[in-house]
């Protein structure tokens, strides 16, 4: 945050800086009282300087040992790490995490006094608000909350990816498959494990995306429907083989990841709910 880019806007900078006092401390350093204007208000503050040798043999050389720095603080969901501050991309790795509350955390970035606009670096699949923070104005971090919500584009992209994954599951020639949310465990009256052949599946309708979370989880309604067909012995006469046809209603729970514009899904397997 201590860069020219972060304070490049003229309106973001302090103005009318003035030295108001100078006090020599017992250790030989000096505290310099200053005032400046920000957002049409006047603030008083101070910096500290110390001698660090001489230049041109005649003049003291001074170093600022306590610069005019502040903490830019705001609150954001713990599931998101990347933000944009005055067009500068920053992450939680650059911040001090000062507190956690439920699914959010307070971050503090070291910055010069000024005016900063802050928003989440979200890409195309999330919406976010934009905060304007006057660094020196009153305001608790909890009043400065970055909201991040999945948008309609993400829901559409996950739904399409889910349809493709379910179509792939429907090509299986077995009664169940890892990574597929539907399957079948037959129970026959004879108690014997029958020889099941000619297994096929066909999607009838796709489950509706019901919930998307910022932490990468999703779930659907219980309205997916798939048709299954297989050949197996009759319950009462194992010498007779017949075609068994039925329908299964199912939902999907799982996780998603985003790589650029591409969505990758993981679906909980059939039977993982029990």
């Amino acid at each position: 945050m201590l860069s020219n880019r972060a304070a490049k806007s003229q309106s973001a900078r302090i103005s009318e800086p003035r030295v108001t006092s100078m006090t020599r401390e017992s250790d030989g350093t000096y505290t310099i009282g200053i005032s400046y204007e920000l957002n049409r208000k006047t603030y008083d503050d101070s910096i500290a300087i110390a001698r660090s040798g001489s230049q041109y043999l005649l003049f003291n050389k001074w170093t600022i040992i306590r610069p005019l720095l502040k903490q830019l603080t705001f609150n954001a969901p713990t599931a998101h790490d990347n933000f944009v501050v005055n067009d500068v991309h920053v992450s939680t790795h650059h911040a001090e995490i000062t507190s956690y509350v439920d699914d959010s955390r307070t971050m503090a970035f070291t910055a010069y006094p000024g005016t900063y606009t802050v928003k989440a670096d979200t890409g195309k699949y999330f919406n976010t608000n934009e905060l304007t923070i006057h660094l020196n104005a009153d305001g608790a971090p909890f009043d400065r909350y970055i909201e991040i919500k999945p948008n309609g584009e993400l829901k559409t992209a996950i739904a399409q990816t889910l349809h493709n994954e379910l179509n792939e599951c429907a090509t299986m020639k077995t009664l169940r498959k890892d990574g597929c949310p539907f399957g079948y465990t037959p129970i026959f009256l004879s108690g014997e494990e029958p020889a099941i052949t000619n297994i096929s599946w066909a999607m009838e309708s796709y489950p509706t995306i019901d919930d998307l979370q910022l932490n990468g989880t999703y779930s659907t309604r219980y309205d997916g429907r798939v048709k299954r067909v297989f050949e197996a012995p009759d319950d009462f006469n194992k010498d007779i083989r017949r075609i068994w046809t039925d329908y299964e209603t199912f939902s999907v729970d799982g996780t998603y990841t985003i790589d650029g514009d591409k969505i990758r899904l993981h679906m909980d397997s059939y039977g993982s709910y029990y």
Side-chain angles (χ1 to χ4, degrees):
M1 294 304 304
L2 303 178
S3 69
N4 289 332
R5 286 182 60 205
K8 66 180 181 179
S9 171
Q10 189 66 34
S11 62
R13 302 174 183 173
I14 64 174
S15 61
E16 303 295 331
R18 293 179 293 274
V19 174
T20 58
S21 65
M22 184 171 66
T23 304
R24 188 180 189 278
E25 307 296 343
S26 59
D27 59 359
T29 63
Y30 286 82
T31 298
I32 309 299
I34 60 174
S35 69
Y36 57 86
E37 291 186 7
L38 174 64
N39 193 36
R40 300 180 181 179
K41 293 183 179 180
T42 300
Y43 295 93
D44 295 312
D45 216 316
S46 65
I47 62 174
I49 62 174
R51 289 189 180 94
S52 58
S54 61
Q55 54 186 353
Y56 308 120
L57 302 178
L58 297 174
F59 303 102
N60 290 323
K61 186 177 181 181
W62 297 91
T63 298
I64 298 176
I65 58 175
R66 192 184 73 238
L68 188 61
L69 298 178
K70 302 297 177 182
Q71 292 291 299
L72 176 66
T73 57
F74 57 89
N75 202 258
T78 54
H80 197 81
D81 291 330
N82 299 308
F83 302 88
V84 180
V85 181
N86 281 12
D87 296 327
V88 175
H89 294 265
V90 298
S91 75
T92 52
H93 302 297
H94 304 113
E96 176 188 358
I97 309 301
T98 59
S99 66
Y100 288 88
V101 178
D102 296 329
D103 294 328
S104 65
R105 58 190 167 186
T106 301
M107 287 161 282
F109 295 85
T110 300
Y112 297 115
T115 299
Y116 295 86
T117 57
V118 184
K119 62 182 179 180
D121 188 3
T122 57
K124 65 182 287 187
Y125 290 126
F126 297 91
N127 294 333
T128 181
N129 61 323
E130 183 175 279
L131 300 179
T132 298
I133 300 174
H134 303 294
L135 201 53
N136 245 351
D138 295 332
F142 300 106
D143 297 330
R144 306 166 178 167
Y145 190 77
I146 298 291
E147 291 185 300
I148 308 168
K149 296 180 179 180
N151 60 26
E153 284 193 66
L154 178 61
K155 188 173 184 178
T156 299
I158 287 181
Q160 184 57 59
T161 304
L162 181 61
H163 292 181
N164 295 339
E165 296 288 340
L166 292 174
N167 288 340
E168 180 63 27
C169 284
T171 65
M172 64 181 174
K173 301 301 181 183
T174 57
L175 292 179
R176 67 190 66 83
K177 180 181 178 182
D178 285 344
C180 291
F182 52 80
Y184 183 59
T185 301
I187 299 175
F188 289 87
L189 297 179
S190 65
E192 299 178 3
E193 185 71 25
I196 298 175
T197 58
N198 297 326
I199 302 167
S200 66
W201 298 83
M203 291 300 305
E204 293 282 315
S205 61
Y206 298 95
T208 305
I209 299 293
D210 186 49
D211 185 56
L212 288 176
Q213 294 296 322
L214 190 61
N215 64 2
T217 61
Y218 72 94
S219 61
T220 74
R221 297 175 187 167
Y222 193 70
D223 59 355
R225 182 176 166 89
V226 64
K227 177 183 178 181
R228 63 173 175 265
V229 179
F230 59 85
E231 182 181 325
D234 185 81
D235 271 343
F236 300 98
N237 187 345
K238 64 180 181 180
D239 294 327
I240 299 176
R241 295 184 65 81
R242 51 167 287 200
I243 299 298
W244 298 75
T245 301
D246 207 346
Y247 296 86
E248 178 181 338
T249 301
F250 67 96
S251 62
V252 182
D253 291 306
T255 58
Y256 69 88
T257 56
I258 300 174
D259 182 10
D261 290 344
K262 188 172 184 179
I263 302 292
R264 291 186 172 88
L265 291 186
H266 169 78
M267 299 184 295
D268 288 339
S269 294
Y270 162 77
S272 63
Y273 312 107
Y274 306 103

